[in-house]
């Protein structure tokens, strides 16, 4: 039987020992930040201690070698904290986050080509300076620019410098519980502010601020996209081809992406090790003749590495792409030096380098899934493959594909469930066709790019690719439509995720290395998982909450009692499945509510509700106040849909301690209501400004 690599694995893979304290330092500084001078002190003291350690006699050094390890780990722990501190835009002295841009002119440079959205064009810009009272102040940081659709947009491109005359707005979250943390995502990208610009609110300058290499990359991407659109008929097919080859996702059909996600093959859309592996194989094939020429042995690895990194840059330099590029670079260098490298050491080394470059990738789902998949293949592929002996070559090839697919799932399932709350039950069926077919498609696209100079040949290749992609899409959509194709509404928290991984590791140690301690540890992990799960379910059954969601231009309210919920919102939102998936479902999943209930006609008024000892009134249109007794007690009044009503009139009828203005109201209307409430000393909460309103009912 195949065994796990012998522990201590880190003696053959030293970068694992370096990676663990680095990750610990990064995480500690993010969740429990400490002042900069303490971090530098914690960084310097172990270095001084190591210097003192090496001045001691060798016999004393040998006896206290463990101290040297502690000093090294402490240094790396502090390094992780420092890397994160200096990578955080909020800590940079010249950061735009420290500037009040009201009344100031801002100089920015467009950093990428504009992408078209439904109602605007979007891009990222870097901030160079702010101008105020004829004084120029140098600043740094990135911002999101949204441009109104008009004819002047054609002159905006990468490297173009603009003067902005509109104040920047901080990037905000909706505040809806359980929803995607967009503000943190932007912070990790170095983006802190955003602004929507109409004609006249900015001035394009004649000067440019371009990087020639980046300009070449954007130009190459644009040429490849144009070539694929030209020769591959069909919007869905061309969009998928662009995403598979260079990671360009602006033209992807969102319903198609959902089908790929539901069937567990979305990884063939995201540029990853599969794509880099094909590029590596093609480069090795093309560069093979160089090895027999004078100087070719040195030139061959240089060409391969350069080709890998050029493709990585064109593909957008995502964490999964960079991880694969670093990995294959290590393989090329190791092969050139005739040294066999450990896959675990190469993985740890690439993660170490990438986290030093960008520590925020530690929280990136793609980064986590990428490393989990490769590590899972390294550990479990051979044990699974060796379970069956298949003498037939064709069936053996099929069994290899099954083994790869099963092995990759083992360590990716926990993190996938944690982030995306679903499991593709038919992933094996989908992958058996999707992986080999996608490999053929990528190779065909590369050939198409080369054959683009010959229109007749390119048209033939494009025709074949279009039909192949169409077959793939049809198959994936068919698999996704099958009953029970996806197990949804899965929810695990952080402690449960840790227990899940401990269970997998302990069982692997037990089954692959025949260690009985692994069986004991797996049972303990399972026990703790059940305990955490039971506590969470018990808390769910006790919950009673009122949630007013922050859904721009919509009204949405949930009342959660145990595992049931009552929803009240506008009809447009109830018909829009995508809006519900993005804003409402994550919150319901977080609170584990899955059944609806109808409270009925409470207190004789359709918008007047009482749950326990808490009452609330929803005013979403004209309301005849004469039907109510004066000083009727109400805990919360929710105003929606720009109701034509005066706060003073409402206060004469209702004794209310909290007014809530939901996101369906216009900003000027909310401002007017807030002013009225302030004059009367009434409490207010604006959902559009502060995020979702969450109130525990009692």
């Amino acid at each position: 039987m195949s065994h796990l690599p012998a522990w201590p694995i880190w003696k053959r893979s030293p970068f694992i020992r370096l990676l663990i304290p680095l990750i610990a330092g990064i995480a500690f500084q993010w969740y429990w930040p400490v002042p900069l001078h303490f971090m530098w002190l914690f960084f310097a003291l172990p270095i001084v201690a190591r210097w003192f350690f090496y001045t001691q006699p060798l016999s004393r050094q040998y006896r206290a070698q463990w101290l040297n390890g502690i000093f090294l780990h402490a240094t790396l722990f502090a390094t992780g904290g420092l890397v994160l501190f200096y990578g955080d835009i909020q800590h940079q002295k010249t950061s735009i986050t420290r500037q009040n841009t009201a009344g100031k002119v801002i100089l920015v440079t467009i950093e990428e080509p504009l992408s078209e959205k439904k109602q605007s064009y979007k891009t990222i810009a870097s901030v160079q300076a702010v101008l105020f009272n004829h004084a120029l102040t140098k600043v740094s940081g990135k911002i999101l620019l949204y441009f109104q659709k008009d004819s002047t947009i054609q002159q905006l491109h990468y490297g173009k410098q603009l003067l902005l005359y509109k104040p920047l707005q901080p990037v905000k979250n909706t505040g809806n519980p359980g929803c995607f943390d967009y503000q943190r995502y932007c912070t990790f990208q170095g983006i802190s502010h955003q602004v929507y610009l109409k004609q006249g609110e900015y001035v394009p300058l004649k000067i440019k601020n371009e990087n020639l290499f980046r300009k070449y990359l954007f130009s190459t991407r644009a040429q490849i996209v144009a070539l694929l659109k030209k020769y591959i008929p069909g919007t869905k097919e061309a969009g998928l081809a662009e995403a598979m080859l260079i990671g360009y996702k602006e033209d992807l059909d969102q319903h198609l992406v959902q089908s790929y996600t539901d069937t567990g093959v979305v990884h063939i859309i995201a540029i990853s090790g599969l794509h880099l592996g094909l590029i590596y194989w093609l480069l090795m094939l093309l560069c093979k003749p160089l090895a027999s020429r004078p100087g070719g042995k040195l030139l061959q690895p240089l060409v391969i590495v350069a080709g890998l990194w050029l493709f990585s840059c064109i593909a957008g330099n995502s964490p999964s792409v960079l991880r694969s590029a670093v990995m294959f670079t290590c393989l090329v260098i190791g092969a050139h030096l005739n040294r066999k490298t450990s896959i675990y050491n190469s993985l740890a080394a690439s993660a170490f380098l990438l986290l030093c470059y960008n520590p925020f990738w530690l929280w990136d789902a793609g980064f986590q899934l990428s490393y989990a998949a490769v590590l899972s293949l390294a550990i479990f592929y051979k044990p699974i493959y060796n379970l069956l002996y298949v003498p037939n070559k064709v069936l053996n090839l099929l069994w290899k594909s099954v083994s790869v697919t099963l092995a990759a799932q083992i360590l990716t399932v926990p993190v996938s469930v944690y982030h995306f709350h679903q499991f593709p039950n038919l992933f094996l069926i989908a992958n058996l066709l999707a992986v080999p077919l996608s490999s053929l498609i990528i190779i065909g696209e590369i050939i198409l790019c080369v054959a683009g100079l010959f229109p007749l040949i390119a048209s033939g290749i494009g025709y074949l690719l279009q039909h192949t992609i169409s077959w793939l899409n049809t198959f994936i959509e068919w698999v996704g439509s099958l009953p029970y194709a996806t197990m949804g509404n899965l929810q695990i928290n952080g402690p449960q995720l840790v227990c899940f991984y401990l269970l997998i590791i302990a069982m692997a140690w037990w089954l692959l290395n025949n260690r009985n301690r692994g069986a004991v540890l797996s049972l303990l992990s399972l026990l703790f998982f059940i305990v955490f799960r039971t506590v969470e379910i018990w808390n769910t059954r006790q919950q009673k909450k009122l949630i007013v969601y922050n859904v721009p231009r919509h009204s949405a309210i949930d009342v959660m009692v145990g595992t049931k919920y009552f929803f009240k919102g506008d009809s447009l939102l109830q018909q829009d499945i995508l809006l519900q998936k993005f804003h409402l479902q994550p919150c319901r999943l977080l609170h584990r509510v899955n059944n609806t209930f109808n409270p009925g006609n409470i207190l004789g008024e359709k918008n007047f509700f009482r749950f326990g000892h808490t009452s609330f009134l929803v005013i979403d249109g004209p309301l005849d106040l004469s039907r109510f007794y004066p000083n009727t007690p109400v805990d919360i009044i929710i105003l929606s849909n720009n109701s034509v009503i005066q706060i003073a009139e409402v206060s004469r009828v209702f004794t209310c301690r909290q007014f809530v203005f939901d996101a369906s109201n216009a900003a000027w209307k909310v401002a007017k209501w807030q002013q009225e409430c302030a004059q009367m000393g009434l409490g207010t909460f604006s959902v559009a400004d502060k995020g979702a309103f969450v109130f525990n009912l009692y």
Side-chain angles (χ1 to χ4, degrees), residues 65-232:
Q65 188 63 34
W66 58 275
L67 277 175
N68 188 37
I70 291 176
F71 298 148
L72 175 62
H73 282 68
T75 304
L76 290 168
F77 181 87
T79 301
L82 289 169
V83 165
L84 184 123
F85 184 92
Y86 285 109
D88 192 341
I89 56 174
Q90 300 178 27
H91 297 144
Q92 297 171 8
K93 291 182 179 180
T94 60
S95 173
I96 189 65
T97 58
R98 301 191 175 197
Q99 296 286 330
N100 179 10
T101 61
K104 298 179 181 179
V105 180
I106 308 161
L107 175 65
V108 303
T109 300
I110 296 177
E111 292 295 334
E112 64 180 29
L114 275 65
S115 60
E116 186 175 2
K117 304 300 178 184
K118 277 188 178 181
Q119 300 176 346
S120 64
Y121 283 92
K122 176 186 175 184
T123 188
I124 296 174
S126 60
V127 185
Q128 267 74 54
V130 294
L131 177 64
F132 184 68
N133 287 340
H134 305 290
L136 198 66
T137 305
K138 185 179 179 181
V139 294
S140 60
K142 295 179 182 178
I143 61 174
L144 292 173
L145 299 183
Y146 295 90
F147 294 97
Q148 185 183 43
K149 289 188 174 182
D150 55 50
S151 58
T152 61
I153 217 73
Q154 301 300 325
Q155 60 182 313
L156 302 179
H157 50 77
Y158 165 68
K160 192 72 173 179
Q161 291 197 303
L162 310 174
L163 289 177
L164 311 183
Y165 295 95
K166 189 174 182 181
L168 305 180
Q169 302 297 321
V171 174
K172 291 183 179 179
N173 281 326
T174 61
N176 297 327
C179 283
F180 177 63
D181 194 336
Y182 184 65
Q183 185 181 36
R184 191 180 79 165
Y185 170 79
C186 287
T187 299
F188 288 173
Q189 306 297 316
I191 299 168
S192 58
H193 288 75
Q194 60 186 354
V195 63
Y196 179 81
L197 298 166
K198 299 178 182 178
Q199 192 171 1
E201 294 176 338
Y202 64 95
V203 174
L205 303 178
K206 292 183 179 180
I207 56 175
K208 296 181 180 179
N209 183 13
E210 296 177 335
N211 177 290
L212 292 179
F213 181 64
R214 291 195 71 195
K215 184 179 180 181
Y216 166 75
L217 292 178
F218 289 136
S219 174
T220 304
R221 273 176 76 89
Q223 290 174 15
I224 293 172
V225 169
L227 185 72
L228 295 176
K229 285 182 177 178
K230 181 179 179 180
Y231 290 109
I232 299 180

Side-chain angles (χ1 to χ4, degrees), residues 668-681:
W668 66 268
K669 190 82 171 180
V670 172
K672 180 183 176 183
W673 284 334
Q674 286 179 322
Q675 187 177 11
E676 290 182 48
C677 289
Q679 292 173 352
M680 301 175 66

Side-chain angles (χ1 to χ4, degrees), residues 449-680:
C449 291
V450 175
L453 297 173
F454 310 98
L456 189 61
I457 299 174
S459 297
I461 296 171
Y463 177 81
L464 291 174
L465 283 172
Q466 189 262 337
H467 279 79
T468 307
I469 296 172
S470 179
W471 294 335
L472 177 61
N473 289 344
T474 302
F475 173 72
I476 295 301
E477 289 175 329
W478 173 74
V479 173
S481 66
L482 292 175
Y484 309 107
T486 306
M487 187 187 302
N489 297 327
L490 302 178
Q491 175 73 21
I492 59 173
N493 56 28
Q496 291 170 15
L497 177 67
V498 172
C499 291
F500 206 155
Y501 271 117
L502 288 175
L503 174 65
I504 292 172
I505 292 168
M507 289 192 69
W509 190 33
W510 171 40
L511 296 174
L512 301 182
N513 280 355
N514 198 23
R515 299 296 180 92
N516 292 331
R517 288 183 181 178
V520 176
L521 287 174
S522 63
L523 290 174
L524 284 174
S525 303
L526 183 60
L527 175 63
F528 278 107
F529 182 88
I530 293 171
V531 169
F532 288 131
R533 192 80 169 175
T534 304
V535 170
E536 189 179 23
I537 292 173
W538 187 86
N539 289 334
T540 296
R541 295 185 181 279
Q542 310 306 311
Q543 69 185 356
K544 295 179 181 179
K545 290 186 177 182
L546 166 67
I547 300 176
V548 182
Y549 292 100
N550 182 9
V551 185
R553 296 182 295 279
H554 290 284
S555 175
I557 302 168
D558 262 348
V559 176
M560 299 179 179
V561 179
T563 59
K564 297 182 179 181
Y565 70 93
F566 161 68
F567 174 73
K568 179 170 179 57
D570 57 63
S571 57
L572 290 176
L573 179 61
Q574 295 185 55
Q575 295 167 10
D576 195 322
I577 302 300
L578 289 178
L579 271 181
Q580 291 182 42
K581 275 192 171 184
F582 185 78
H583 291 286
L584 309 186
Q585 286 188 11
C587 181
R588 293 169 181 169
L589 187 60
L590 177 68
H591 292 92
R592 296 184 180 279
V593 293
N594 46 33
N595 297 305
T596 60
F597 74 95
N598 189 350
N601 195 15
I602 299 177
L603 302 181
E605 174 64 41
K606 67 173 184 177
N607 284 350
F608 206 159
F609 305 96
R610 181 182 297 278
F611 293 90
H613 299 289
T614 304
S615 60
F616 67 91
L617 172 67
V618 180
I619 303 177
D620 54 5
L623 182 65
D624 185 5
L625 296 174
S626 62
R627 293 187 297 117
F628 297 92
Y629 291 105
N631 298 322
T632 301
V634 179
D635 294 298
I636 300 167
I637 294 180
I638 303 169
L639 299 182
S640 304
N641 300 325
N642 297 307
S643 302
V644 183
I645 201 162
Q646 300 292 326
I647 297 295
E649 294 177 358
V650 176
S651 298
R652 279 195 291 268
V653 177
F654 299 104
T655 304
C656 176
R657 59 180 187 176
Q658 180 82 65
F659 280 86
V660 177
F661 314 124
D662 74 9
S664 65
N665 300 297
W668 66 268
K669 190 82 171 180
V670 172
K672 180 183 176 183
W673 284 334
Q674 286 179 322
Q675 187 177 11
E676 290 182 48
C677 289
Q679 292 173 352
M680 301 175 66

Side-chain angles (χ1 to χ4, degrees), residues 386-401:
N386 290 337
L387 288 174
L388 288 178
Y389 171 68
V390 183
N392 184 280
K393 289 185 178 181
V394 175
L395 292 178
N396 185 53
L397 189 62
L398 181 64
W399 174 237
K400 281 184 177 179
S401 299

